[in-house]
Amino acid sequence: MVTSLNRAVSTPLLYFFILGDILGAGVYVLVGAVAGESGGAVWLPLLIALGLAALTAGSYAELATKYPRAGGSAHYATKAFGPAAGSAIGFCMLAAGVVSVGALARAFAGDYLRALVSAPTAVVVVVFLAVLALLNIRGVKESLGANVVATLIEVGGLVLIIGLGAWVVLRGDADLGRLTQVGTGGHGVVAATLAGAVLAYYSFVGFETSVNLAEEVKQPRRSYPRALFGALLTAGAVYLLIGVVAGATVPTDRLAASSGPLLEVVRLAGGVPEGLFSLVALVAVANGALLTGIMSSRLAYGMARDGLLPSVLAKVLPGRRTPWVAILVTSAVSLVLALTGEVASLAETLVLLLLVVFVAVNAAALVLRRDEGEAEHFRVPVVIPWLGLASCLLLFTRIDGSVWLRGLLLIVPGLVLAGVNLVRARRAAAAPVGTR
């Protein structure tokens, strides 16, 4: 029986996959929130977030080429610390996906939609998530062409903003002095920059899901690091330019108050219909929410099928063969989160959950350092995982207590589940062979 996956993914395809994953909806909705935390120098927390994300990306590059297997973070945690840790990390990834869908649903109901129609936020969120769930249940076929089109629309919108911002600067209507304004009334330079970096970190996540493709990459040792760091640097360059033009062209208080911050650049530049750009932004938000929802429901289904979650989540719809219970449950949790939290707080919750995952990955890179793994795998200097671990701990300290509370409500069930699975595994191992 053939059990390995087909190695058919080339370096360029992997690069565009990672780039499309990173260049999602985050920057469309969070630039204003970053400005509210850090001031007009929006580019600075984006730059810091890029550097911090690159450290953990180094650990992922080593582990993905050392163990080119589907499973990603949970697989590394299991190999380094055992199945209980792998179960907990898998649950955190699932929770992060659910939170991300909630944040994007809330973002969809913001200023971009209001530029087209007026509707109550709660109604929009409910309808949006219901439509996504129905599409998911029906069986969304993700063709490469559709993903490329969606990514091109997202990138095209960002390139448009950079061009419009440059036009505003050239005609003399921008205030370049704002690009050096760091800090707010409530925070000094360092605290404000780090607070903004926590939010900006959300814009760079996505690269962690690409490790699940490592088993299908033609030459993972050569291709994966190139594609990963190339995509991360490309996204970083685009985001930095967005931060510069948004911070220079839009007054900081106006930028911070908007849930559609890039729309403010369009309004100040003129020449482009607001509705047209709003549609581009809404496509980016909806596409990100749909793909993340698909990932979350399939992860829940897979964990249930492996006995890590209640078996009811593994039920599939006859005919369509889609995990309808997992879809409904994950969508319901996203709905509760979207109705009870703002975009910024949900983004911080997502970052908190992913930081837990990233701590495990950086620690696994250190623990598994002496394990041979695949021959001639990519290696980073040992200081990189240590710095990645330190960066996660640093960002932990900048997350508000209310976000910790929301995050713990999602993390604790994962820890309980890990404990239950550990007890079950030990009992199964201790049971006589004939009774297992």
Side-chain angles (χ1 to χ4, degrees):
M1 180 182 296
V2 178
T3 58
S4 60
L5 299 177
N6 182 30
R7 293 193 180 278
V9 179
S10 63
T11 303
L13 281 178
L14 183 60
Y15 166 81
F16 281 108
F17 176 89
I18 300 173
L19 182 63
D21 231 357
I22 299 174
L23 285 179
V27 72
Y28 277 91
V29 298
L30 285 178
V31 168
V34 172
E37 294 286 354
S38 300
V42 179
W43 60 272
L44 182 57
L46 283 167
L47 180 62
I48 292 174
L50 170 62
L52 297 179
L55 294 173
T56 296
S59 292
Y60 270 105
E62 177 168 320
L63 291 171
T65 55
K66 194 174 188 178
Y67 311 107
R69 303 286 187 275
S73 307
H75 176 71
Y76 310 145
T78 299
K79 198 164 186 66
F81 308 111
S87 175
I89 295 306
F91 189 88
C92 283
M93 284 296 297
L94 172 60
V98 171
V99 171
S100 181
V101 173
L104 293 174
R106 189 81 184 192
F108 190 88
D111 286 346
Y112 292 123
L113 183 65
R114 295 191 192 106
L116 301 172
V117 296
S118 179
T121 298
V123 173
V124 173
V125 167
V126 170
V127 172
F128 178 73
L129 289 175
V131 170
L132 289 187
L134 290 174
L135 287 173
N136 201 346
I137 289 174
R138 191 177 189 279
V140 181
K141 296 181 179 179
E142 303 168 66
S143 67
L144 181 60
N147 283 328
V148 169
V149 170
T151 300
L152 287 176
I153 291 174
E154 295 171 8
V155 174
L158 297 177
V159 171
L160 175 63
I161 290 298
I162 294 170
L164 291 176
W167 165 243
V168 174
V169 171
L170 289 175
R171 76 187 188 195
D173 292 335
D175 183 0
L176 298 180
R178 282 196 292 265
L179 298 179
T180 60
Q181 295 175 0
V182 185
T184 62
H187 298 288
V189 173
V190 175
T193 302
L194 290 176
V198 171
L199 286 171
Y201 204 76
Y202 175 84
S203 297
F204 289 101
V205 299
F207 65 85
E208 73 282 351
T209 63
S210 64
V211 296
N212 294 294
L213 283 180
E215 193 171 340
E216 298 169 85
V217 176
K218 290 181 179 178
Q219 296 177 308
R221 181 185 180 278
R222 178 177 177 273
S223 296
Y224 188 79
R226 292 185 179 186
L228 174 61
F229 294 117
L232 199 58
L233 290 175
T234 302
V238 172
Y239 286 167
L240 286 176
L241 289 173
I242 291 290
V244 168
V245 298
T249 59
V250 184
T252 304
D253 55 349
R254 180 174 171 180
L255 194 63
S258 177
S259 59
L262 301 188
L263 189 59
E264 302 298 332
V265 179
V266 175
R267 288 169 176 161
L268 288 172
V272 176
E274 293 180 17
L276 177 61
F277 181 77
S278 293
L279 284 175
V280 171
L282 290 174
V283 166
V285 173
N287 184 60
L290 178 59
L291 295 180
T292 305
I294 291 171
M295 181 276 293
S296 300
S297 59
R298 269 57 176 185
L299 178 55
Y301 162 78
M303 292 179 70
R305 188 180 56 184
D306 294 340
L308 301 177
L309 287 175
S311 59
V312 67
L313 294 173
K315 288 187 175 182
V316 295
L317 190 67
R320 294 291 178 184
R321 307 299 297 171
T322 51
W324 66 277
V325 176
I327 293 169
L328 292 179
V329 171
T330 54
S331 298
V333 177
S334 293
L335 176 61
V336 172
L337 292 169
L339 293 177
T340 58
E342 297 297 329
V343 174
S345 65
L346 290 171
E348 286 186 289
T349 305
L350 170 66
V351 169
L352 171 61
L353 292 167
L354 287 181
L355 286 176
V356 173
V357 175
F358 291 170
V359 164
V361 170
N362 283 304
L366 293 169
V367 170
L368 298 170
R369 195 73 179 175
R370 295 182 180 179
D371 188 61
E372 293 183 2
E374 292 286 330
E376 298 183 353
H377 62 270
F378 177 80
R379 292 177 68 90
V380 293
V382 69
V383 69
I384 297 298
W386 280 112
L387 290 175
L389 193 60
S391 71
C392 294
L393 298 178
L394 173 64
L395 290 176
F396 273 139
T397 66
R398 310 315 306 174
I399 295 177
D400 292 338
S402 60
V403 176
W404 271 103
L405 179 60
R406 184 187 293 269
L408 287 174
L409 290 175
L410 295 168
I411 293 173
V412 169
L415 296 176
V416 172
L417 180 67
V420 170
N421 290 331
L422 179 61
V423 171
R424 288 170 55 190
R426 287 180 175 176
R427 287 180 177 175
V433 176
T435 62
R436 294 180 190 176

